[in-house]
Amino acid sequence: MRGFLIMVMSSLLLACTGSPVVTDYDPGYAFERVKTYAWLESGVAEEPRGQGRNDLMRDRLHNAIEDQMRARGLRKVETAAQADILLTFHMGIEKKVEVYDFHDHFGYYPCFQKRCSGYAYYPHGVHHDRWETEYQEGRLVIDMVTPNSKKLVWRGVSERRIPWLETPEERRLFIVDVVGSVLQHYPPGHKSH
């Protein structure tokens, strides 16, 4: 069982590596003064078109963001009037298609299909094969806005290909990793190792 968990964690980490995070912020805002936060709204987690919102994923995102805020020394308060900053997030999932083209210029072609193993010889020379793979890509946007004017002062965005996740725990760990990668850039200038 332990070996299986290590394998799952490794595959999740490999699936997440190299995913860029983009942040933008107001350089004139005094982030060092931010000690408390409240939720502007509970956030939105949308499934691919036509499938609606996903409350389970929304709750995982909400919890992961709160954990990251706590780790940075920020305290959650109940109302906007008590908060130094307001948080919200948006997550969407989009279906995409990846296209692979394989060419064989010498009559030998690597066989990845079930009907052959190794390399096959094609006496007529060039062989072309095209495969299409559908996958889901998720985009997470975390926003921080001022309590009074509702002005956006910090935004972090991550787009990732979503690996096949079978259990709620795998989904939770994936979300923890995505949120952690976005919020490692908060506050601006903060270096996380």
Side-chain angles (χ1 to χ4, degrees):
M1 183 65 166
R2 184 169 188 247
F4 175 74
L5 287 175
I6 291 171
M7 182 182 73
V8 167
M9 291 297 295
S10 298
S11 64
L12 286 175
L13 291 173
L14 285 174
C16 299
T17 56
S19 299
V21 171
V22 177
T23 60
D24 196 6
Y25 62 93
D26 178 354
Y29 188 77
F31 290 99
E32 68 278 359
R33 294 186 189 161
V34 175
K35 305 296 180 202
T36 60
Y37 73 94
W39 286 100
L40 177 61
E41 57 188 55
S42 61
V44 178
E46 295 287 335
E47 290 290 338
R49 288 184 207 117
Q51 294 182 20
R53 67 183 222 184
N54 182 332
D55 291 334
L56 295 170
M57 196 61 75
R58 184 199 66 219
D59 291 346
R60 289 181 189 111
L61 284 161
H62 195 273
N63 293 336
I65 292 169
E66 286 193 347
D67 289 345
Q68 287 291 324
M69 292 292 103
R70 195 175 311 111
R72 282 162 179 68
L74 275 71
R75 183 174 52 87
K76 179 183 172 187
V77 293
E78 294 305 315
T79 66
Q82 301 169 303
D84 297 326
I85 201 89
L86 300 178
L87 294 178
T88 189
F89 65 86
H90 307 280
M91 187 197 128
I93 299 175
E94 184 178 351
K95 288 185 180 178
K96 295 207 168 189
V97 176
E98 193 167 42
V99 178
Y100 300 93
D101 282 317
F102 297 96
H103 300 278
D104 165 26
H105 300 287
F106 302 105
Y108 288 93
Y109 178 68
C111 244
F112 301 109
Q113 298 169 353
K114 292 181 181 177
R115 64 179 181 261
C116 66
S117 61
Y119 285 80
Y121 175 67
Y122 294 94
H124 301 293
V126 176
H127 177 75
H128 177 258
D129 201 356
R130 180 185 181 106
W131 297 344
E132 292 184 2
T133 303
E134 283 189 11
Y135 66 95
Q136 292 183 334
E137 183 174 89
R139 171 185 264 203
L140 173 64
V141 179
I142 300 175
D143 287 339
M144 298 184 186
V145 300
T146 58
N148 298 327
S149 63
K150 303 295 190 285
K151 178 187 174 195
L152 179 67
V153 292
W154 188 92
R155 170 172 280 176
V157 181
S158 177
E159 289 183 350
R160 292 188 181 188
R161 185 176 185 150
I162 299 175
W164 183 256
L165 303 168
E166 294 183 2
T167 68
E169 181 62 9
E170 289 176 3
R171 293 180 190 100
R172 186 189 71 79
L173 291 172
F174 180 73
I175 290 299
V176 166
D177 183 67
V178 174
V179 168
S181 69
V182 173
L183 289 175
Q184 76 178 355
H185 301 280
Y186 177 84
H190 170 73
K191 299 292 182 195
S192 178
H193 300 288

